[in-house]
């Protein structure tokens, strides 16, 4: 961390500060000490990573102590499920003998050292992935010429988010998925189509939800902007908003006929074939080893999951009230329609602005899902730092309002959930209404973010900007 | 909120004598059990009694818990093990002087507390060759309530129980109308020698954390779940934790009068069927409206308009 002290009499330094401020998004502010001293605080990325690593190690050690000495455990219940599954795998048995293990056998394989080394191995692995996400965020933003300090602050939004550092240290595996998704973005930014496809196939096998990114990834591989064997031209942050001709290009993506004509490009076919091959290969091996139990628990369960128990989703009470009878096909289609339409429009509208599209897709997917648990929020938290430099939201007060609205709606739901689960009050209706409020809050925040986002395609047209390749941040 | 119940130990403990037999003859005054398909008397005696877990043989045979079937198993198959002379003094040496049950806590996660007080006849206990004993408490949880086996294992690892096992439905997510019942078997060890040193006998407290499943819909908004009585056995052996050469016997009452009060009833919130139509309509309308708002915002996103606005930032 660097502290620069300047007296108000030092006009040169203040002029420098003023010019830098002019180019910053409004949400990003310097902190000034009043009176005669101006202070500019900068955070070094290395220090941030070291501090974050130390924090996570401390929490893991503390978690072990709490688990041993207190009745309420720090460690997530899921971590014990993973560990037990890994123990079973280590002894040559199926990990699916462990009830509620509903993940790829790959996860149990990664946690085999829990059995041989130490039971905390998995937590260290997940926390390391968590730190890797921070590094990847920094890398992606630097590639777009985002100033170093803004990059670091965006990384702080991930590394110092209480959701994220508790998720990994409690033993949840979502950081691995987040790291892989960001790595896919980096691969594409580097022009490594094959590697991106392999990792995408693998992450969909590992966790089903990234399948929603398939249309986006296919659309972004437009031949005009991404060519196999050629490094793509990336957007540059300081160049401001997208130019008119790019916007008209973006507008033509809404032309269905043009989209259909361009859809079968070489890059798209290669990406689709390789990622599908990796997915089916991984799934095939898992099926060969663990048969229908794997297929049902790791894949089909997630595709058809409806949980009648209370969760953030607006559908939970509807599902509970109808659980004694099967839903008709029509009812299932109707409930799926809002989700489908939102995803379709978001993809068609924002696909070329890849990080932003992934973000809004994930928020919408989680908000309209049949089951919502707190760990799902990590899916879009890792993408949020990638879009902040292109947001025109003022931290004071629009940004703060969005944060308080979202957290307030969540807290409101948690209050009713507490009364139901821990006080035994029949507040199903109130809890369901709180979930409606939470959906409204998600919708509101999403609309604000869309409205205040500077649309900026990740890849610039190859031919028209070939002369700008020398200006690339790399 | 808690419910108390003090029950007659004899109601649930009125079983025949259980023996793990290695001898072929039985000299008890009770009816000689038939072999019922077992080739030898020793096989018939050994099958359920050598098992570490009392309930295991039942679940191996029946798969799911039903009171009538379990009670028949308890009274018929477990009592089959009366194949060698049961030292009559043994069952008289240890007596159940008190049994207290309560449901403690609030909400969907509670504890079923059972307190067992064992009194000892010093003279008879001194003659007993057995050095290691355990009380076996079998809780047949009602439909709508379950115990988490992994949670109980964690409690056992902290040294609270001697041994614990959960039988029955392992799917913790299903509502009551789609799940089977759960049985919890808790073993608490004690030493007859230690028992002799205690003036008021031995009190064994067992706290089993139980959780509510989602209940069937009910117009009143609550579903009443009633707990039955536990089955309490005891097993003593000469070697520690050995099911071989050990003897089951029933902890019968020492004759102390125990008043009977209301059974333990847990009122669990349940959904109300009349809400179904309204909730479905509002849910779908809300989802549709939210989707529409997001779609409109996306379609009319001012990606082009911002060209003008950005310059003024």
């Amino acid at each position: 961390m660097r502290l620069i002290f300047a007296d108000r009499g030092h006009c040169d330094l203040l002029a420098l500060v003023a010019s830098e401020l002019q180019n910053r998004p409004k949400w990003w502010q310097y902190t000034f000490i009043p009176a005669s001293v101006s202070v500019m605080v900068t955070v070094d990325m290395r220090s941030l990573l070291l501090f974050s690593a130390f924090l996570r190690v401390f929490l893991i050690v503390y978690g072990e102590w709490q688990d041993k000495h207190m009745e309420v455990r720090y460690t997530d219940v899921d971590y014990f499920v993973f560990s037990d599954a890994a123990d079973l795998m280590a002894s040559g048995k199926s990990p699916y003998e462990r009830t509620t293990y509903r993940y790829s056998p790959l996860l149990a394989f990664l946690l085999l050292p829990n059995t041989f080394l130490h039971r905390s191995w998995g937590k260290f692995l997940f926390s390391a992935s968590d730190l890797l996400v921070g590094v990847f965020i920094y890398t992606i933003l630097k590639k777009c010429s985002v100033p170093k300090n803004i990059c670091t602050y965006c990384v702080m939004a991930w590394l110092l988010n209480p959701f994220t550092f508790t998720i990994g240290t409690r033993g949840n595996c979502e950081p691995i998925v987040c790291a892989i998704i960001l790595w896919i973005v980096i691969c594409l930014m580097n022009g490594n189509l094959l590697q991106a496809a392999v990792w995408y196939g693998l992450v969909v096998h590992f966790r089903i939800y990234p399948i929603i990114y398939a249309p986006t990834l296919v659309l972004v591989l437009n031949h005009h902007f991404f060519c196999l064997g050629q490094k793509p031209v990336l957007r540059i942050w300081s160049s401001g908003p997208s130019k008119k001709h790019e916007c008209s290009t973006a507008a033509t993506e809404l032309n269905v006929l043009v989209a259909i004509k361009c859809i079968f490009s070489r890059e798209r076919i290669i990406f689709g074939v390789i990622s599908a091959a990796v997915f089916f290969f991984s799934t095939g091996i898992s099926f060969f080893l663990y048969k229908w139990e794997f297929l049902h628990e790791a894949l089909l369960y997630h595709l058809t999951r409806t949980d009648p128990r209370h969760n953030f989703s607006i559908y939970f009470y509807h599902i509970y009230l109808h659980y004694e009878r099967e839903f008709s096909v029509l009812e299932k289609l109707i409930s799926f329609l809002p989700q489908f339409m939102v995803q379709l429009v978001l993809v068609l509208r924002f696909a070329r602005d890849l990080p932003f599209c992934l973000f809004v897709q994930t928020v919408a997917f989680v908000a309209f899902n049949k089951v919502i648990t707190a760990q799902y929020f990590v899916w879009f938290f890792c993408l949020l730092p990638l879009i902040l430099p292109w947001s025109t939201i003022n931290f004071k007060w629009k940004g703060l309002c969005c944060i308080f609205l979202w957290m307030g709606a969540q807290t409101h739901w948690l209050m009713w959930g507490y009364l139901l689960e821990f006080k035994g009050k029949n507040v199903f209706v109130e809890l369901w209404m709180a979930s409606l409020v939470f959906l409204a809050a998600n919708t509101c925040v999403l609309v604000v973010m869309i409205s205040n986002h500077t649309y900026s395609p990740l890849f610039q047209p190859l031919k028209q900007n070939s002369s700008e390749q020398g200006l690339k941040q790399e | 909120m808690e419910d108390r119940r003090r029950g007659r130990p004899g109601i649930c403990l009125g079983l025949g004598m259980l023996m793990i037999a290695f001898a072929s003859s039985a000299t008890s005054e009770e009816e000689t059990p038939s072999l019922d398909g077992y080739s030898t008397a020793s096989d018939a005696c050994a099958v359920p009694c050598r098992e570490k877990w009392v309930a295991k043989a039942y679940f191996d045979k029946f798969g799911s818990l039903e009171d009538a079937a379990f009670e028949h198993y308890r009274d018929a198959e477990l009592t089959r093990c009366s194949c060698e002379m049961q030292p009559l003094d043994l069952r008289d040496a240890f007596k159940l002087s008190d049994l207290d049950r309560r449901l403690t806590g609030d909400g969907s996660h509670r504890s079923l507390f059972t307190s067992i007080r064992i009194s000892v006849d010093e003279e008879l206990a001194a003659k007993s060759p057995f050095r290691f004993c355990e009380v076996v408490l079998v809780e047949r949880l009602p439909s709508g309530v379950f115990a988490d086996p992994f949670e109980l294992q964690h409690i056992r690892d902290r040294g609270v129980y001697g041994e614990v096992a959960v039988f029955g439905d392992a799917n913790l997510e299903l509502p009551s109308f789609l799940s089977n019942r759960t049985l919890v078997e808790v073993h608490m060890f004690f030493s007859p020698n230690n028992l002799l040193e205690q003036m008021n006998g031995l009190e064994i407290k067992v706290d089993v954390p139980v959780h509510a499943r989602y209940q069937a819909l009910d117009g009143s908004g609550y579903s009443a779940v009633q707990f039955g009585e536990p089955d309490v056995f005891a097993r003593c052996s000469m070697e520690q934790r050995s099911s071989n050469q050990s003897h089951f016997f029933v902890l019968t009452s020492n004759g102390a009068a125990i008043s009977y009060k209301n059974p333990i009833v847990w009122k669990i919130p349940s959904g109300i069927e009349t809400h179904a139509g309204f909730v479905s309509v509002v849910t779908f309308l809300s989802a549709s409206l939210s989707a529409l708002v997001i779609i409109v915002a996306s379609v009319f996103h001012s990606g082009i308009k911002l060209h003008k606005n950005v310059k003024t930032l």
Side-chain angles (χ1 to χ4, degrees), chain B residues 41-53:
Chain B
S42 59
D43 286 343
C45 296
V47 170
C49 302
R50 280 190 181 161
E51 289 283 358
K52 177 181 175 184
W53 305 108

Side-chain angles (χ1 to χ4, degrees), chain A residues 227-404:
Chain A
C227 198
L228 194 63
Q230 194 174 347
K231 235 175 187 176
V233 179
L234 302 174
R235 65 184 172 184
I236 300 173
W237 181 81
S238 58
S239 62
S242 55
K243 295 177 184 173
K244 244 185 177 176
H245 69 268
E246 289 178 9
C247 291
S248 60
T249 307
T252 57
E253 294 240 326
L254 292 174
N255 186 320
V256 176
L257 287 174
V258 172
I260 291 172
K261 198 178 175 183
C262 297
I263 202 142
F264 294 109
S265 67
R266 182 178 56 160
E267 290 76 18
R268 287 169 173 167
I269 291 173
I270 289 172
F271 183 86
V273 168
I274 291 179
S275 57
V278 170
F279 171 78
F280 284 114
F281 178 73
S282 313
T283 305
I285 288 183
S286 303
F287 182 75
F288 173 74
L289 292 171
Y290 304 112
K291 307 292 184 274
W292 287 103
E293 215 177 7
F294 150 74
L295 206 63
H296 182 261
E297 296 291 343
L299 282 181
L300 299 178
Y301 169 82
H302 297 288
L303 292 175
T304 58
R305 181 183 182 188
T306 52
D307 197 337
R309 296 173 302 167
H310 55 282
N311 60 86
F312 290 109
S313 173
I314 60 170
Y315 294 102
F316 92 86
Y317 196 29
H318 163 74
I319 291 170
Y320 175 32
L321 292 171
H322 294 88
Y323 211 70
E324 290 184 75
R325 66 166 181 84
E326 280 268 335
F327 285 114
S328 67
V329 174
L330 181 65
E331 282 171 325
K332 288 179 184 175
L333 277 174
I334 290 173
S335 62
F336 182 61
L337 203 59
Q339 172 82 283
F340 176 76
M341 290 306 300
V342 167
Q343 291 293 318
L344 180 67
V345 171
L346 291 174
V347 167
L348 288 177
R349 188 65 188 88
F350 300 116
R352 286 192 52 222
D353 189 343
L354 182 62
F356 182 73
C357 189
L358 297 181
F359 173 79
V360 292
Q361 271 193 274
T362 313
V363 172
F365 177 75
V366 171
F368 287 96
N369 206 27
K370 299 289 186 306
V371 178
I372 304 173
T373 60
Q375 68 187 72
Y376 295 178
F377 302 150
V378 177
W379 298 349
F380 54 76
F381 279 149
C382 68
L383 297 166
L384 176 63
L386 301 180
I387 68 167
L388 286 177
W390 284 270
S391 177
T392 59
I393 295 177
N394 294 324
F395 186 69
K396 283 185 186 179
W397 292 97
K398 214 178 218 176
L400 275 175
C401 281
C402 287
I403 292 171
F404 286 136

